[in-house]
Amino acid sequence: MTSAIVLGGSAGIGHAVVLKLLDRGHVVGVVARGKKRLEKMSAEFGDRVACQSADVADPQALRQAVGNLIRDLGAPAIWVNCAMATSFSPFSKVGPPEFQRIMDVTFMGQVNGTRLAIEHMASGRIICVGSGLSYRSVPNQAAYCAAKHAINGFSSSVRSELKRDDRDLDISLVQLPAVNTPQFDWALNRMAKKPQPAPPIFAPSVAAEGVMKAIDTGAREVFVGRSVLQLVFAQFILPAWMDKKMADSGVDAQKSDEPASRPDPVNLYDPVDYPARPEGSYSDDATDTGWIVDADYARLAVFGGGAILLFVLGLLIG
């Protein structure tokens, strides 16, 4: 059986990816901080999963956890970097330690994971989970958006190095839309309302299908959801207009109608008590279908013909 490792696999999109990999018959190593969720996964899936508790922002702890997984499962053929953290806060209220922590988890966690993947994998796929916000940032999530932008630059550089060294390893970026995950229940929030995924909202299974497409094809980059294509191409064509649009509606789109509870559970520095599941609190508003496209093909389609460009512009305006 082929083994896989998923960082950030105890909840949210990472957990949805673990379920997809298990459905395909892989054995999966999971790294996350939440020990209770990892214990539940071990009890539920038995020897099909191996779990290790570690903070992806701590390179030494992560190295030890990965070493334990590889000792038990062997070197993986699939590696998925999925851990993240954010804060729904104006930049002026985010102090240096908080900003650094979000960068350490969301960006450096992927750097630390990719380094270990390259060390241990002779061949296979490395998947870095990104976001449409890596192309078009939104207000109130400056650190998270900065981290997602950084993942793009980091992945492109390392991909070129691997090609230069003739390594049989592919690095894929999977750029995701707003997904119904637990982050909206446990992220640090300074807004008066509880945060929500900015509509349209997608189920975690859609995001996991995007990761599966990258695993199956080795695509350089995958866009998931029409909203990601809208963000990417609108930002390319009309960046000043997008600045104004985000100034007008970018914050309100992230607010639900529910008042924020105080104190909120916050997982920024320590895990919170939450079930081991992909979904957050917005399942009733989430769709379980969405576009999943090779980003390079999408770019060729847009810039390869005037009629297609007009069509895409129509989608953006619509």
PDB file of all heavy atoms in Angstrom, residues 187-202:
ATOM      1  N   ALA A 187     -10.764  30.521  15.032  1.00  0.00           N
ATOM      2  CA  ALA A 187      -9.741  31.530  14.763  1.00  0.00           C
ATOM      3  C   ALA A 187      -9.948  32.761  15.649  1.00  0.00           C
ATOM      4  O   ALA A 187     -11.069  33.103  16.021  1.00  0.00           O
ATOM      5  CB  ALA A 187      -9.773  31.940  13.290  1.00  0.00           C
ATOM      6  N   LEU A 188      -8.867  33.434  15.970  1.00  0.00           N
ATOM      7  CA  LEU A 188      -8.937  34.686  16.715  1.00  0.00           C
ATOM      8  C   LEU A 188      -9.779  35.691  15.925  1.00  0.00           C
ATOM      9  O   LEU A 188      -9.541  35.924  14.736  1.00  0.00           O
ATOM     10  CB  LEU A 188      -7.529  35.229  16.936  1.00  0.00           C
ATOM     11  CG  LEU A 188      -7.409  36.578  17.633  1.00  0.00           C
ATOM     12  CD1 LEU A 188      -8.035  36.529  19.016  1.00  0.00           C
ATOM     13  CD2 LEU A 188      -5.949  36.997  17.711  1.00  0.00           C
ATOM     14  N   ASN A 189     -10.749  36.292  16.583  1.00  0.00           N
ATOM     15  CA  ASN A 189     -11.702  37.166  15.887  1.00  0.00           C
ATOM     16  C   ASN A 189     -11.895  38.451  16.679  1.00  0.00           C
ATOM     17  O   ASN A 189     -12.290  38.426  17.840  1.00  0.00           O
ATOM     18  CB  ASN A 189     -13.048  36.447  15.729  1.00  0.00           C
ATOM     19  CG  ASN A 189     -14.117  37.352  15.151  1.00  0.00           C
ATOM     20  OD1 ASN A 189     -13.841  38.165  14.271  1.00  0.00           O
ATOM     21  ND2 ASN A 189     -15.339  37.227  15.647  1.00  0.00           N
ATOM     22  N   ARG A 190     -11.639  39.583  16.032  1.00  0.00           N
ATOM     23  CA  ARG A 190     -11.871  40.889  16.649  1.00  0.00           C
ATOM     24  C   ARG A 190     -13.061  41.619  16.024  1.00  0.00           C
ATOM     25  O   ARG A 190     -13.275  42.786  16.336  1.00  0.00           O
ATOM     26  CB  ARG A 190     -10.605  41.744  16.554  1.00  0.00           C
ATOM     27  CG  ARG A 190      -9.434  41.214  17.399  1.00  0.00           C
ATOM     28  CD  ARG A 190      -8.264  42.183  17.410  1.00  0.00           C
ATOM     29  NE  ARG A 190      -7.208  41.742  18.304  1.00  0.00           N
ATOM     30  CZ  ARG A 190      -6.197  40.955  17.953  1.00  0.00           C
ATOM     31  NH1 ARG A 190      -6.115  40.512  16.678  1.00  0.00           N
ATOM     32  NH2 ARG A 190      -5.279  40.587  18.825  1.00  0.00           N
ATOM     33  N   MET A 191     -13.781  40.962  15.144  1.00  0.00           N
ATOM     34  CA  MET A 191     -14.975  41.572  14.569  1.00  0.00           C
ATOM     35  C   MET A 191     -16.143  41.420  15.537  1.00  0.00           C
ATOM     36  O   MET A 191     -16.156  40.527  16.385  1.00  0.00           O
ATOM     37  CB  MET A 191     -15.315  40.918  13.231  1.00  0.00           C
ATOM     38  CG  MET A 191     -14.199  41.019  12.195  1.00  0.00           C
ATOM     39  SD  MET A 191     -14.683  40.446  10.549  1.00  0.00           S
ATOM     40  CE  MET A 191     -15.074  38.709  10.858  1.00  0.00           C
ATOM     41  N   ALA A 192     -17.138  42.290  15.389  1.00  0.00           N
ATOM     42  CA  ALA A 192     -18.313  42.231  16.270  1.00  0.00           C
ATOM     43  C   ALA A 192     -19.199  41.038  15.961  1.00  0.00           C
ATOM     44  O   ALA A 192     -19.973  40.604  16.813  1.00  0.00           O
ATOM     45  CB  ALA A 192     -19.113  43.522  16.144  1.00  0.00           C
ATOM     46  N   LYS A 193     -19.078  40.485  14.751  1.00  0.00           N
ATOM     47  CA  LYS A 193     -19.853  39.327  14.341  1.00  0.00           C
ATOM     48  C   LYS A 193     -18.933  38.114  14.222  1.00  0.00           C
ATOM     49  O   LYS A 193     -17.726  38.236  13.999  1.00  0.00           O
ATOM     50  CB  LYS A 193     -20.530  39.572  12.993  1.00  0.00           C
ATOM     51  CG  LYS A 193     -21.495  40.743  12.969  1.00  0.00           C
ATOM     52  CD  LYS A 193     -22.766  40.444  13.742  1.00  0.00           C
ATOM     53  CE  LYS A 193     -23.802  41.537  13.550  1.00  0.00           C
ATOM     54  NZ  LYS A 193     -25.061  41.235  14.269  1.00  0.00           N
ATOM     55  N   LYS A 194     -19.525  36.941  14.356  1.00  0.00           N
ATOM     56  CA  LYS A 194     -18.780  35.709  14.133  1.00  0.00           C
ATOM     57  C   LYS A 194     -18.337  35.649  12.671  1.00  0.00           C
ATOM     58  O   LYS A 194     -19.117  35.972  11.770  1.00  0.00           O
ATOM     59  CB  LYS A 194     -19.659  34.499  14.459  1.00  0.00           C
ATOM     60  CG  LYS A 194     -18.971  33.165  14.243  1.00  0.00           C
ATOM     61  CD  LYS A 194     -19.910  32.002  14.551  1.00  0.00           C
ATOM     62  CE  LYS A 194     -19.240  30.676  14.208  1.00  0.00           C
ATOM     63  NZ  LYS A 194     -20.111  29.517  14.491  1.00  0.00           N
ATOM     64  N   PRO A 195     -17.097  35.248  12.398  1.00  0.00           N
ATOM     65  CA  PRO A 195     -16.652  35.173  11.008  1.00  0.00           C
ATOM     66  C   PRO A 195     -17.315  34.032  10.250  1.00  0.00           C
ATOM     67  O   PRO A 195     -17.730  33.029  10.841  1.00  0.00           O
ATOM     68  CB  PRO A 195     -15.143  34.944  11.126  1.00  0.00           C
ATOM     69  CG  PRO A 195     -14.953  34.318  12.467  1.00  0.00           C
ATOM     70  CD  PRO A 195     -16.026  34.902  13.348  1.00  0.00           C
ATOM     71  N   GLN A 196     -17.415  34.213   8.947  1.00  0.00           N
ATOM     72  CA  GLN A 196     -17.948  33.180   8.069  1.00  0.00           C
ATOM     73  C   GLN A 196     -17.073  33.108   6.820  1.00  0.00           C
ATOM     74  O   GLN A 196     -16.356  34.067   6.499  1.00  0.00           O
ATOM     75  CB  GLN A 196     -19.376  33.496   7.652  1.00  0.00           C
ATOM     76  CG  GLN A 196     -19.497  34.694   6.718  1.00  0.00           C
ATOM     77  CD  GLN A 196     -20.868  34.855   6.104  1.00  0.00           C
ATOM     78  OE1 GLN A 196     -21.819  34.176   6.476  1.00  0.00           O
ATOM     79  NE2 GLN A 196     -20.971  35.755   5.148  1.00  0.00           N
ATOM     80  N   PRO A 197     -17.110  31.981   6.088  1.00  0.00           N
ATOM     81  CA  PRO A 197     -16.465  31.956   4.780  1.00  0.00           C
ATOM     82  C   PRO A 197     -17.187  32.945   3.860  1.00  0.00           C
ATOM     83  O   PRO A 197     -18.416  32.958   3.819  1.00  0.00           O
ATOM     84  CB  PRO A 197     -16.662  30.510   4.307  1.00  0.00           C
ATOM     85  CG  PRO A 197     -17.118  29.746   5.511  1.00  0.00           C
ATOM     86  CD  PRO A 197     -17.791  30.717   6.420  1.00  0.00           C
ATOM     87  N   ALA A 198     -16.428  33.770   3.151  1.00  0.00           N
ATOM     88  CA  ALA A 198     -17.044  34.737   2.251  1.00  0.00           C
ATOM     89  C   ALA A 198     -17.718  33.998   1.098  1.00  0.00           C
ATOM     90  O   ALA A 198     -17.056  33.264   0.368  1.00  0.00           O
ATOM     91  CB  ALA A 198     -15.997  35.703   1.720  1.00  0.00           C
ATOM     92  N   PRO A 199     -19.030  34.144   0.925  1.00  0.00           N
ATOM     93  CA  PRO A 199     -19.745  33.398  -0.121  1.00  0.00           C
ATOM     94  C   PRO A 199     -19.155  33.653  -1.508  1.00  0.00           C
ATOM     95  O   PRO A 199     -18.663  34.749  -1.775  1.00  0.00           O
ATOM     96  CB  PRO A 199     -21.169  33.942  -0.010  1.00  0.00           C
ATOM     97  CG  PRO A 199     -21.268  34.445   1.403  1.00  0.00           C
ATOM     98  CD  PRO A 199     -19.911  35.012   1.707  1.00  0.00           C
ATOM     99  N   PRO A 200     -19.239  32.646  -2.389  1.00  0.00           N
ATOM    100  CA  PRO A 200     -19.872  31.336  -2.227  1.00  0.00           C
ATOM    101  C   PRO A 200     -19.029  30.407  -1.348  1.00  0.00           C
ATOM    102  O   PRO A 200     -17.801  30.434  -1.388  1.00  0.00           O
ATOM    103  CB  PRO A 200     -19.957  30.801  -3.665  1.00  0.00           C
ATOM    104  CG  PRO A 200     -18.795  31.450  -4.364  1.00  0.00           C
ATOM    105  CD  PRO A 200     -18.675  32.818  -3.760  1.00  0.00           C
ATOM    106  N   ILE A 201     -19.711  29.579  -0.573  1.00  0.00           N
ATOM    107  CA  ILE A 201     -19.059  28.684   0.381  1.00  0.00           C
ATOM    108  C   ILE A 201     -19.065  27.267  -0.181  1.00  0.00           C
ATOM    109  O   ILE A 201     -20.077  26.792  -0.694  1.00  0.00           O
ATOM    110  CB  ILE A 201     -19.800  28.723   1.730  1.00  0.00           C
ATOM    111  CG1 ILE A 201     -19.853  30.153   2.271  1.00  0.00           C
ATOM    112  CG2 ILE A 201     -19.125  27.798   2.741  1.00  0.00           C
ATOM    113  CD1 ILE A 201     -20.761  30.316   3.483  1.00  0.00           C
ATOM    114  N   PHE A 202     -17.931  26.581  -0.054  1.00  0.00           N
ATOM    115  CA  PHE A 202     -17.797  25.221  -0.568  1.00  0.00           C
ATOM    116  C   PHE A 202     -17.561  24.237   0.578  1.00  0.00           C
ATOM    117  O   PHE A 202     -16.986  24.580   1.614  1.00  0.00           O
ATOM    118  CB  PHE A 202     -16.630  25.139  -1.558  1.00  0.00           C
ATOM    119  CG  PHE A 202     -16.862  25.922  -2.820  1.00  0.00           C
ATOM    120  CD1 PHE A 202     -16.573  27.273  -2.879  1.00  0.00           C
ATOM    121  CD2 PHE A 202     -17.394  25.309  -3.945  1.00  0.00           C
ATOM    122  CE1 PHE A 202     -16.802  28.005  -4.037  1.00  0.00           C
ATOM    123  CE2 PHE A 202     -17.629  26.023  -5.106  1.00  0.00           C
ATOM    124  CZ  PHE A 202     -17.327  27.379  -5.147  1.00  0.00           C
TER     125      PHE A 202
END
